[in-house]
Amino acid sequence: MAEETTKTLVQEAEQRRNGYEVIHEKSPLFYDRYERKADLQGQTHYCPGCGHGVAHKLIAEALQELGLQDRTIFVSPVGCSVFAYYYFDTGNVQAAHGRAPACATAIKRTCPDKIVISYQGDGDLAAIGTAEIVHAANRGEKITVFFVNNAIYGMTGGQMAPTTLVGQKSTTSPWDRRPTNEGFPLHMAELLSTLEAPVYIERVALSDNKNIMKARRAVRKALELQRDGAGFSFVEILSPCPTIWGKDPVEARRWVAEKLVPAFPLNVFRDRKPEPVESVAPPQRTVSDTLEISAKQQSATTAALEHAHHFRDYTIKVAGFGGQGVLLLGQLLTEMGMREGLEVSWLPSYGPEMRSGSAHCHVCLSKERIGSPLISHPDVLIAMNEISLRKFASQVAPGGVILYNRDRLPADFALPQARVICIPAAEMADRLGSTKVTNIVMMGALLEETECLAPATAMGVLEDKIKNLNLLEIDRQALAAGRNFIDNQVRVGAVSQPDGFAY
Ligand SMILES: Cc1ncc(C[n+]2csc(CCOP(=O)(O)OP(=O)(O)O)c2C)c(N)n1
Ligand code: SF4
């Protein structure tokens, strides 16, 4: 008791600085110091009179009062508020332009007990991010969105936003916004309230103290709803941007009241009692369980172990034109990798044409988790045609290998640093009965040359995928033919380029 009294006295003493009682101060939810710039640790980067500062304060105070600081993850946008993470002492993620609701969705779904906030400007939310906000709202994601509508792009110097008023000048509507040319302002709160799922949608304004108090209540309510497990909540905050509007802070606030509010009426558009829904946790299953390949993986283990001591990480690029089984070959390799317990990735790239357009894919096989599926310098290039050879040969890592689907290199082809092996795979496949299996001949060559995956795993995958028994038999022969070609022609009787194999 005595200790408690002392504490209170100390607190009171602290609050009476220079004879003043501190009844209003920076929310402790903000960092003590803003580390963004060494010489500006006591102030934000916002312009004087900017509504973002006020909106931040309302959010910080609500989180503080509700005791949610440690549970909160704040997703900041691209726009003037991009640096919100320097101010809020919460979890922070900074999303790509317009994508904050998608990031917030992912965070909330993986961490349902967190309070996830998507904070966005009007350019971010209503222009580049229109799709994200509409679909997050429509799915009823259990996130809270604070939409700061200042009717302009602030950060980039005053371009027209979807919410710019009719008659308002901007750098991209210098004669002012005219509906015939630039369309009408988008009313996001009204638009989202046509959807079924949202539980709470309100528009508030930072125009005067009375409205700021209403905004405070709306911010708090939206967060409370999320805390209580309700669905999507959205607060649109009409906000001054004195700098771009060319007004002083007081005029800017007045402009919010006199111009923005009539155009964007303040209202509670949705306030639905959340219905109690039993939350069903998503199934926590491994990829191999989900794809039902665990048993197959088991059977491939022996084969995998046989060659495991050879294994190092491989990056493989398969390139050719549509119809050559380029993407399929990549998929088969990744499936094989999965069955051998490796980390795998497959990244396809193809043109709009289903046939004959260029196509390539990147395959990573690794014992470690894969950072990026994009490969700049593959260890192996499987070039299914001359265009791909010419285009990608120079990208192959020094010491890498190129498997080229022809019996010889083009005469004028400048040899890269990599080793090149010419394989007349299309002719070999044709002799086996179907040029469709050219990619499998190349697969056989790849496995034999690099030993990156076990041939037995390849057969296991083919047996599961190819339902036509005749074709399966041709595939089996194609795989063997590719392997034999490397064994017999390359290892035993190597021919030098340009009419055969180049080293
Ligand atoms: C993909 C992409 N496109 C465009 C930009 C340029 N850009 C940065 S912020 C911004 C608009 C910001 O306006 P708003 O969302 O209204 O936020 P404010 O700055 O007014 O708070 C734009 C277009 C970008 N950074 N990235
Ligand atoms: S430009 Fe406008 S929105 Fe951006 S910080 Fe300045 S006042 Fe705020």
Side-chain angles (χ1 to χ4, degrees):
M1 187 67 183
E3 209 184 335
E4 255 175 41
T5 319
T6 322
K7 227 185 201 170
T8 318
L9 287 176
V10 172
Q11 280 167 354
E12 276 176 12
E14 268 177 9
Q15 285 181 343
R16 287 176 198 285
R17 292 181 206 129
N18 302 324
Y20 293 101
E21 186 180 351
V22 179
I23 53 167
H24 189 69
E25 60 184 341
K26 183 168 116 177
S27 164
L29 196 127
F30 290 125
Y31 288 115
D32 282 345
R33 288 160 168 273
Y34 303 143
E35 301 286 349
R36 193 177 70 87
K37 279 196 175 167
D39 52 341
L40 286 180
Q41 301 202 341
Q43 65 187 67
T44 69
H45 69 293
Y46 295 119
C47 310
C50 175
H52 279 304
V54 181
H56 281 22
K57 185 165 129 64
L58 299 181
I59 296 168
E61 288 176 353
L63 289 171
Q64 175 72 23
E65 286 161 17
L66 297 170
L68 296 175
Q69 176 170 19
D70 293 341
R71 284 173 58 192
T72 298
I73 299 177
F74 192 103
V75 185
S76 46
V78 172
C80 279
S81 46
V82 65
F83 291 142
Y85 51 82
Y86 279 109
Y87 309 134
F88 285 93
D89 186 2
T90 56
N92 281 287
V93 172
Q94 201 273 307
H97 204 12
R99 311 299 178 248
C103 284
T105 297
I107 296 166
K108 186 70 185 183
R109 287 190 177 203
T110 43
C111 311
D113 57 322
K114 300 289 180 226
I115 301 295
V116 184
I117 294 173
S118 175
Y119 182 101
Q120 301 178 260
D122 41 74
D124 191 83
L125 180 140
I128 194 166
T130 328
E132 278 73 11
I133 189 63
V134 169
H135 291 290
N138 194 42
R139 293 190 305 265
E141 297 298 342
K142 294 179 175 172
I143 60 173
T144 301
V145 178
F146 294 118
F147 169 41
V148 177
N149 177 2
N150 56 19
I152 204 82
Y153 286 11
M155 183 198 214
T156 40
Q159 294 86 358
M160 195 193 86
T163 51
T164 296
L165 301 184
V166 171
Q168 187 182 342
K169 282 191 170 49
S170 75
T171 57
T172 47
S173 56
W175 296 282
D176 71 46
R177 182 177 193 161
R178 288 158 301 170
T180 45
N181 210 40
E182 286 92 13
F184 289 94
L186 265 185
H187 290 72
M188 289 308 297
E190 286 85 339
L191 197 147
L192 297 182
S193 61
T194 63
L195 305 173
E196 280 299 310
V199 294
Y200 177 56
I201 300 177
E202 179 164 2
R203 182 182 290 122
V204 295
L206 305 179
S207 50
D208 50 66
N209 291 351
K210 199 169 150 216
N211 273 333
I212 291 174
M213 283 301 121
K214 282 191 180 165
R216 187 176 217 276
R217 285 195 286 278
V219 165
R220 187 183 159 116
K221 177 164 181 167
L223 292 168
E224 278 172 339
L225 283 166
Q226 185 174 171
R227 179 201 59 190
D228 298 343
F232 184 86
S233 54
F234 181 90
V235 180
E236 176 170 343
I237 304 172
L238 302 181
S239 171
C241 172
T243 303
I244 302 291
W245 295 352
K247 301 186 188 310
D248 70 34
V250 176
E251 281 172 358
R253 273 198 181 189
R254 204 174 298 132
W255 203 79
V256 173
E258 289 171 4
K259 299 288 181 188
L260 279 190
V261 172
F264 295 101
L266 306 187
N267 197 5
V268 178
F269 297 91
R270 173 74 53 84
D271 189 3
R272 188 176 282 164
K273 231 179 166 204
E275 282 162 24
V277 263
E278 205 185 315
S279 89
V280 183
Q284 301 289 322
R285 293 195 294 167
T286 61
V287 173
S288 51
D289 277 354
T290 308
L291 299 179
E292 295 175 357
I293 57 173
S294 301
K296 297 161 191 166
Q297 187 173 315
Q298 206 67 36
S299 69
T301 308
T302 327
L305 285 178
E306 266 172 29
H307 85 290
H309 63 282
H310 297 299
F311 189 82
R312 62 175 184 82
D313 292 0
Y314 275 97
T315 53
I316 302 164
K317 182 164 191 155
V318 190
F321 53 76
Q324 284 188 306
V326 166
L327 303 186
L328 176 64
L329 176 50
Q331 283 176 327
L332 293 172
L333 292 171
T334 40
E335 170 93 29
M336 289 161 62
M338 271 199 281
R339 291 194 189 189
E340 294 198 5
L342 297 171
E343 298 287 335
V344 298
S345 67
W346 173 74
L347 183 71
S349 167
Y350 43 87
E353 317 92 325
M354 287 298 280
R355 296 276 137 194
S356 312
S358 68
H360 69 250
C361 64
H362 294 174
V363 174
C364 296
L365 303 171
S366 176
K367 280 187 170 163
E368 307 293 330
R369 294 183 79 174
I370 295 165
S372 165
L374 193 69
I375 306 170
S376 310
H377 298 291
D379 300 313
V380 182
L381 169 66
I382 300 181
M384 298 295 285
N385 61 13
E386 186 180 329
I387 298 172
S388 305
L389 177 77
R390 290 188 188 276
K391 196 164 167 193
F392 298 122
S394 62
Q395 293 178 1
V396 177
V401 60
I402 299 172
L403 304 178
Y404 178 41
N405 171 28
R406 285 297 281 273
D407 59 350
R408 66 191 60 219
L409 288 168
D412 63 340
F413 181 71
L415 272 183
Q417 284 189 330
R419 173 175 140 80
V420 187
I421 303 176
C422 297
I423 306 155
E427 285 93 323
M428 290 161 70
D430 198 21
R431 278 201 295 277
L432 291 172
S434 171
T435 50
K436 276 190 193 163
V437 299
T438 306
N439 57 350
I440 305 298
V441 176
M442 294 303 268
M443 182 202 273
L446 170 78
L447 301 192
E448 197 62 23
E449 177 58 25
T450 63
E451 299 185 348
C452 61
L453 293 159
T457 318
M459 265 329 289
V461 170
L462 289 172
E463 277 162 13
D464 287 336
K465 300 275 170 205
I466 315 288
K467 302 295 171 217
N468 176 326
L469 289 182
N470 288 339
L471 193 58
L472 178 62
E473 177 52 24
I474 303 179
D475 270 325
R476 196 189 57 72
Q477 292 175 19
L479 189 72
R483 294 182 62 201
N484 288 340
F485 184 86
I486 297 292
D487 246 4
N488 301 333
Q489 312 282 324
V490 180
R491 300 235 166 95
V492 181
V495 187
S496 61
Q497 69 83 34
D499 52 352
F501 315 95
Y503 294 87

